[in-house]
Amino acid sequence: HQMRAEWCEATTTVNTFIMNCGADDSKVRNFKGLLVRLISLLHAVALAELEMGRTANMFEGLAHTYDLISPQDLDPTTLNVLANASCRVELVCGWVQHLVMQHVQQGVLTTPA
């Protein structure tokens, strides 16, 4: 529960930097949607690693049966890269960091001066 709470708080914190950003609504919606999907995926791969270890098949065990938020919206190439990765948690964390930085550059995320 602690891990889920930490990621929920991080996601909420990132979303607060969207308020009053002035970016196009569709960009904001796309960012929020992808962020939530990636955090959902991050939680699932972390649980799978805790359950079965780093080298386990990500599609085995109980963690694979947990619901993800809109996994069908992630492209097949991304899911294939994830399935073949040895450090899935770190990979998804990197994707989240890249997403945040990309949207800082696009003006979707702003930080107070």
Side-chain angles (χ1 to χ4, degrees), residues 10-11 14-15 17 31 34-35 38-39 93-111:
T11 303
V14 168
N15 276 311
F17 290 110
F31 170 75
L34 185 52
L35 177 64
L38 287 176
I39 295 297
C93 278
W95 290 344
V96 170
Q97 291 171 340
H98 177 79
L99 176 72
V100 167
M101 290 310 300
Q102 180 182 34
H103 284 80
V104 165
Q105 291 173 342
Q106 293 177 7
V108 173
L109 290 170
T110 58
T111 56

Side-chain angles (χ1 to χ4, degrees), residues 43-112:
H43 190 64
V45 296
L47 289 174
E49 187 173 306
L50 288 172
E51 178 186 2
M52 302 181 64
R54 188 174 285 246
T55 60
N57 181 339
M58 71 178 267
F59 299 111
E60 296 176 357
L62 291 176
H64 176 63
T65 64
Y66 297 151
D67 288 333
L68 293 175
I69 298 174
S70 302
Q72 70 279 2
D73 292 337
L74 297 171
D75 66 279
T77 302
T78 298
L79 295 176
N80 189 43
V81 167
L82 181 64
N84 293 307
S86 60
C87 301
R88 294 180 188 103
V89 173
E90 293 84 351
L91 178 62
V92 178
C93 278
W95 290 344
V96 170
Q97 291 171 340
H98 177 79
L99 176 72
V100 167
M101 290 310 300
Q102 180 182 34
H103 284 80
V104 165
Q105 291 173 342
Q106 293 177 7
V108 173
L109 290 170
T110 58
T111 56

